Amino acid sequence: MPEQEIPVLVVGGSLVGLTISVLLASHGVPHMLVERHRGTAIHPRAASFHQRTMEILRGIGLQQAVEAAAGREFVQNGAIISVDTLSGKELACFYRSYNEGVEGLSATSRLFITQIGLEPVLRERGRELGADHRYGMEMVSFTQDDAGVAAVLQPRDGGPEQTVRARYLVAADGAHSVVRRQIGIGMAGRGSFADCVTIYFKADLRALIGNRNLSVVYVNQPQLLAFFRFSISGDAGFLAVFATFDKDGTRDSRVDQDLSPDRCAALVRAALGVAADFPVAIDDVQPWSATAATAVAFRRGRVFLVGDAAHLMPPTGGFGGNTGIADAHNLAWKLAMVLEGSAGPRLLDSYEPERKPQCEMIVEQAYARYVKRVDQSLPATDLAPVLDDAAIELGSVYSSDAILDEEQGLRTAVLLEDPRHPSGRPGTRVPHIVLHRNGAAISTHDLARSRYALLAGRRGHHWTQAAKALAAAGITLSAHRIAADGDLADPAGCFENTVGIGAEGALSKPQCQARLGDFALPRLCFFG
Ligand SMILES: Cc1cc2nc3c(=O)[nH]c(=O)nc-3n(C[C@H](O)[C@H](O)[C@H](O)COP(=O)(O)OP(=O)(O)OC[C@H]3O[C@@H](n4cnc5c(N)ncnc54)[C@H](O)[C@@H]3O)c2cc1C
């Protein structure tokens, strides 16, 4: 007999598992998260987090806490450059300042924070919201039937196995996802193309860095391809080594085979451009594989894949964790609506068509950046053109049966739009626009923080009245008319034009569609 019944079981308590846990908790969905490690991340890994991720974190009340934690780890808005050595020549500059050109696109900024810094903030928020997190607990097997999933859990420090039964299982169990393999979902793409190692070291880097604010430093030498990140104190960092080459240019298969402290220190010194007696102490070494692949399905029955369980990409572009967080966001509100009964289970069918094409495109973008920034010896014949970072981060265009678009079928399928020129079309992110409520500034994104919202133009009284009528039918939809005499003013006078509606139009969240059936909202847009 199952010992416990829960609506959702999340397997994996690192970046993406914790994110979906906090999102589910913020929607009031009881769930259990199991993580085989005893605590959150011990390696920094992801550090560059995009505006869309920060918008999602803002939506669960974490923007300030994350910014504060980030400020303790990095001076923000650093450069992303490529050099021959840290003390040598700059070869290319990808960003002089990490937020250049995107400042007005969001109420948030891109920022640098490691998983060591971010995951405890997420875990703490989960706790505050009552989430049930079981660290030191491994899911060892599971079965699923039409009604749910039964999972066997094994405490890492001994003790009896436990069985839980859940209506849905979310696999956030990472690159080697056992869940994905057990349900027979394969990966498609370019596969693994480099055996890499991350070398964590201590060294006095202050004189080498000087007064530069450097977020990521690619090192491009004939015999070494790698990237650095440095601690805020300038006395430690890591070097992620993608490849080494012999003197004759042959790729050196020893990268992940000889991980002795001497060899690692020699690689760090070569990348720094310092003499062989420069003091470098090696703290830790972590091998990993640079891979570009996406799961062929994101769902089987009642099991959903999110994060690295669903897609693997090289770190060039810093997309991996951000993409996983976007998966978590897309799935969490859908699970919440289905479990609370305000949408039918078919809403969950929209997760894969909305997320998988985005993930496939982003995996290819990360690979294209890898070839262009790091290793031009890799096959480049079928390389995707490098697309604008801001469009990848903020310009997703979703298409699924859950999104009502009166022009569906008339448009060519596109995956991205330029967030500087948003279309307002259904399936896109609502642009960030600063409105005023009682004289105080508020972002359009804040209007739908936890529930569903409708934003109507100046003469959109009929929409706000329709929303009130819906409330009587049990659908809570907060409705706002953006007008000088409405509850929200538009001081810049740009709302209607920017979101692409007329004075009588309206925007809403797609969630409404799931329940409203034939109710024909003219513009249904994805919302923050
Ligand atoms: C060097 C490097 C730099 C990177 N930089 C960036 C960056 O700047 N920005 C970015 O967005 N991404 C970056 N990434 C990618 C990012 O780190 C990953 O995409 C992200 O960590 C994936 O998170 P996840 O939660 O999906 O998987 P993971 O972090 O792999 O977590 C999976 C968790 O599941 C647990 N687990 C597995 N099986 C079980 C089980 N059966 N029972 C219980 N628990 C289980 C594991 O213990 C693990 O903690 C980088 C990666 C590397 C290697």
Side-chain angles (χ1 to χ4, degrees), residues 45-50 53 80 98 110-114 216 229 315 317-319 321-322:
R45 290 194 292 164
S48 65
F49 287 97
H50 299 156
T53 292
I80 300 183
Y98 194 42
R110 293 170 175 159
L111 57 69
F112 266 77
I113 179 170
T114 66
V216 176
R229 279 204 320 245
F319 294 119
N322 288 287

Side-chain angles (χ1 to χ4, degrees), residues 97-260:
S97 163
Y98 194 42
N99 276 285
E100 67 193 12
V102 297
E103 293 89 346
L105 296 180
S106 173
T108 66
S109 304
R110 293 170 175 159
L111 57 69
F112 266 77
I113 179 170
T114 66
Q115 289 183 227
I116 295 174
L118 178 56
E119 290 184 14
V121 178
L122 290 167
R123 190 174 174 185
E124 181 54 32
R125 185 76 179 125
R127 265 200 214 114
E128 282 167 15
L129 294 169
D132 180 359
H133 291 172
R134 311 269 176 108
Y135 280 76
M137 180 74 86
E138 180 167 8
M139 190 200 70
V140 288
S141 65
F142 73 94
T143 52
Q144 70 164 316
D145 54 35
D146 290 348
V149 173
V152 179
L153 309 179
Q154 173 73 64
R156 182 169 167 167
D157 295 325
E161 281 184 348
Q162 304 167 25
T163 308
V164 293
R165 191 163 171 87
R167 286 178 64 189
Y168 296 99
L169 187 154
V170 177
D173 55 345
H176 307 289
S177 174
V178 169
V179 175
R180 186 186 66 228
R181 265 181 275 145
Q182 192 178 322
I183 54 178
I185 296 180
M187 301 291 283
R190 297 171 189 273
S192 170
F193 49 88
D195 295 320
C196 309
V197 289
T198 304
I199 303 169
Y200 299 93
F201 65 92
K202 286 201 182 63
D204 187 351
L205 306 163
R206 286 168 296 183
L208 300 174
I209 295 173
N211 58 8
R212 295 177 289 178
N213 181 8
L214 301 174
S215 288
V216 176
V217 178
Y218 289 95
V219 177
N220 205 320
Q221 300 176 1
Q223 278 147 302
L224 174 63
L225 300 173
F227 78 90
F228 274 123
R229 279 204 320 245
F230 306 116
S231 70
I232 194 169
S233 46
D235 59 358
F238 76 60
L239 181 72
V241 179
F242 295 121
T244 55
F245 299 85
D246 290 335
K247 287 212 165 57
D248 65 0
T250 313
R251 190 177 284 259
D252 184 352
S253 57
R254 289 182 313 154
V255 177
D256 66 336
Q257 283 173 18
D258 176 3
L259 299 178
S260 63

